[in-house]
């Protein structure tokens, strides 16, 4: 296969990013379709991000991904955004358009594709519990409502963020609960998603096991060591199925790759590479 000469300059911004698999995923996609990819992980917090992104564009950057804690910052920084990014109020993919950034959100589509294609789970008509109300949770919540879940219970530590998310979703199938009051919930859920960054610290998950329906799938958006506390809780609580977000990571990356290069790479070989 012919390989392009000048590399496509891409980056991931966030904090922390040193553990990220995204550089490997995009290098593998590029090799698959004959595009040379220079994809770097750039450490940046809220204060550094605008300057770091501007410097990256001056150095020839044409696209970027954004991870925690910058997805809402990235949304505010874009000159234009896709419909799904506006629904989520969050951006994980930036595309250089002239000298401004266009924003999109590929997280929701990535999760849906992984749920359906790898885990055989159709969210339509299901009862869903979502932990978290940050950038990733926003994208996931909007995508699940668009797929017509039966109801969506959003549980978050900070009430104000839950209120803002619920307002922007404007759906009568959305319910909320403070994390501190999760003990009071007495419904059962078929899909429980962890979209918090709790696993980055030392904290343990301690949710009531009765929240899980008999056929429940527990899904952590994180992967590796960071997903472990939630997966340990899920297995201990008797979940029928528990998995991390490695499949979603590959699927959301494929969507972003297509936005930058106009070609969709195959995800199965890259997922198999990472799983191995
Ligand atoms: P974010 O915007 O910073 O949101 C973090 C969320 O975690 C907030 O809801 C926050 O609650 C909650 N949280 C943090 N520490 C907590 C604690 N000690 N106890 C309870 N809640 C806590 O982050 P994000 O961008 O949404 O990312 C969330 C996670 O998803 C990250 O681990 C990220 O790596 C993962 N992710 C994976 C993929 C994938 O493709 N697999 C895609 C996107 C994200 P408050 O509102 O109370 O602060």
């Amino acid at each position: 296969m012919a390989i392009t000469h000048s590399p496509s300059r891409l980056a991931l911004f966030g904090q922390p990013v040193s553990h990220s698999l995204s550089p490997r995923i995009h290098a593998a996609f590029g090799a698959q379709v004959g595009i040379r990819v220079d994809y770097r992980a750039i450490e940046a917090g809220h204060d550094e991000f605008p300057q770091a992104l501007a410097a990256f564009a001056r150095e020839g950057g044409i696209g970027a991904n954004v991870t925690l804690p910058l997805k809402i910052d990235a949304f505010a920084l874009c000159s234009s955004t896709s419909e799904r990014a506006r629904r989520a109020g969050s951006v994980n993919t930036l595309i250089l358009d002239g000298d401004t950034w266009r924003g999109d959100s590929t997280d929701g589509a990535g999760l849906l594709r992984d749920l359906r294609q790898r885990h055989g789970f159709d969210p339509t008509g299901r009862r869903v519990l979502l932990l978290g109300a940050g950038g990733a949770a926003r994208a996931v919540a909007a995508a699940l409502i668009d797929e017509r879940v039966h109801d969506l219970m959003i549980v978050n530590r900070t009430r104000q963020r839950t209120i803002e998310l619920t307002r922007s979703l404007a759906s009568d199938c959305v319910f909320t609960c403070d994390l501190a009051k999760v003990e009071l919930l007495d419904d059962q859920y078929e899909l429980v998603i962890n979209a918090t960054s709790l696993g980055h610290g030392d904290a343990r998950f301690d949710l009531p096991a009765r929240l899980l329906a008999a056929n429940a799938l527990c899904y952590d958006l994180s992967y590796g060591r960071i997903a472990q506390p939630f997966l340990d809780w899920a297995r201990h609580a008797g979940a029928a199925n528990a998995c991390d977000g490695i499949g979603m990571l590959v699927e959301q990356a494929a969507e972003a790759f297509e936005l930058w290069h106009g070609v969709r790479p195959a995800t199965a070989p890259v997922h198999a590479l990472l799983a191995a």
Side-chain angles (χ1 to χ4, degrees), residues 19 46 66-72 92 107 131-138 155-159 161-162 179 194-200 203 219-223 226 244-253:
H19 68 288
H46 297 291
V66 175
T67 187
L68 111 164
L70 300 175
K71 289 184 180 180
I72 298 170
N92 78 333
D107 282 336
L131 298 163
R138 283 173 157 270
V155 175
N156 195 48
R157 180 180 58 179
T158 307
R159 181 178 300 174
R161 279 183 114 178
T162 324
L179 183 59
N194 177 32
T196 73
S197 51
L198 202 146
H200 289 263
Y219 192 107
D220 197 314
L221 299 197
S222 310
Y223 49 89
I226 297 161
D244 71 7
I246 199 92
M248 168 179 170
L249 182 77
V250 177
E251 297 302 335
Q252 62 78 28

Side-chain angles (χ1 to χ4, degrees), residues 68-128:
L68 111 164
L70 300 175
K71 289 184 180 180
I72 298 170
D73 307 46
F75 181 81
L77 204 141
C78 288
S79 300
S80 63
T81 46
S82 67
E83 164 71 23
R84 60 188 177 178
R86 287 194 294 280
R87 288 264 291 125
S90 133
V91 153
N92 78 333
T93 303
L94 295 161
I95 306 114
L96 193 67
D97 204 353
D99 56 3
T100 63
W101 292 102
R102 181 157 53 89
D104 203 339
S105 174
T106 67
D107 282 336
L111 172 70
L112 292 175
R113 205 177 272 265
D114 189 46
L115 282 177
R116 288 211 166 95
Q117 295 187 357
R118 255 179 224 102
H119 302 288
F121 187 97
D122 183 354
T124 303
R126 304 294 194 122
R127 310 202 69 184
V128 183

